């Protein structure tokens, strides 16, 4: 089994195809698909949690390490097993749009509650702030 198959097999709510997926982040109490996973052409696996979990935490939650993100030949040369990969993650527009769409849903549920005269709970209010942070982060990743 390849590393990417192993990783996807250990994640929940995996959606996507063609080397690009979103999933529930295993490193925090994730209500939405915060984790973006990409398998790039050179064999590397890119991971990013839009709620801000470090890659180390995501990897340790699924029992993997940095070495598992690189193809075997690079691992043999001692390509970063410790520390962060040098390359900045790059994500497809489809990953980013999937996350935006989920955050839009969160905002719309809150708006619906407010319209019905329901008071926003502290938890909902915090979740709205997270939605805003994620949308900003998506903009950053899209280089906007
Ligand atoms: Zn996370």
């Amino acid at each position: 089994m390849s590393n990417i198959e192993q990783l996807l097999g250990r994640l929940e709510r995996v959606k996507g195809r063609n080397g690009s997926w979103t999933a529930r982040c295993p490193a925090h109490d994730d209500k939405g698909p915060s984790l973006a996973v990409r398998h790039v052409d050179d064999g590397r696996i890119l991971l990013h949690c839009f709620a801000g979990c470090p890659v180390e935490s995501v990897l340790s939650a699924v029992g993997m390490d940095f070495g598992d993100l690189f193809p075997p030949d690079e691992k043999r040369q001692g390509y970063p097993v410790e520390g962060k990969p040098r390359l900045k993650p790059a994500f497809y527009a489809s990953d980013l749009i999937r996350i935006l769409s989920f955050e839009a849903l969160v905002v719309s549920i809150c708006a619906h509650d407010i319209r019905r005269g329901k008071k926003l709970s502290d938890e909902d209010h915090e979740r709205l702030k997270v939605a805003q942070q994620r949308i900003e982060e998506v903009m950053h990743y899209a280089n906007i």
Side-chain angles (χ1 to χ4, degrees):
M1 199 194 267
S2 68
N3 287 346
I4 188 72
E5 286 168 337
Q6 219 170 70
L7 172 68
L8 294 173
R10 293 175 190 181
L11 294 171
E12 290 170 23
R13 288 172 54 193
V14 178
K15 267 189 207 163
R17 61 197 161 93
N18 299 333
S20 174
W21 300 270
T22 53
R24 209 182 141 259
C25 172
H28 76 277
D29 182 21
D30 193 7
K31 303 269 193 298
S34 302
L35 189 70
V37 179
R38 264 199 70 193
H39 195 212
V40 287
D41 293 342
D42 62 12
R44 279 177 303 129
I45 300 170
L46 305 176
L47 281 178
H48 184 76
C49 170
F50 281 88
C53 297
V55 176
E56 299 93 301
S57 311
V58 175
L59 286 170
S60 75
V62 292
M64 296 176 88
D65 64 37
F66 271 110
D68 297 322
L69 299 182
F70 298 92
D73 53 327
E74 291 193 36
K75 200 160 62 176
R76 243 194 336 268
Q77 292 161 17
Y79 198 71
V81 171
E82 283 170 29
K84 292 190 172 163
R86 278 175 293 190
L87 295 156
K88 193 181 168 211
F91 292 100
Y92 286 130
S94 57
D95 299 332
L96 303 174
I97 291 167
R98 219 175 280 137
I99 287 160
L100 282 183
S101 142
F102 184 81
E103 296 311 321
L105 178 69
V106 169
V107 172
S108 111
I109 290 168
C110 289
H112 183 76
D113 283 354
I114 294 168
R115 189 176 152 84
R116 282 170 52 224
K118 212 176 126 189
K119 204 169 164 283
L120 271 191
S121 67
D122 289 347
E123 197 188 321
D124 288 346
H125 189 233
E126 286 308 309
R127 187 59 189 81
L128 274 180
K129 285 195 231 166
V130 169
Q132 196 232 336
Q133 284 163 10
R134 286 190 189 173
I135 291 165
E136 275 175 20
E137 199 166 342
V138 164
M139 301 265 287
H140 168 77
Y141 273 88
N143 289 319
I144 296 169

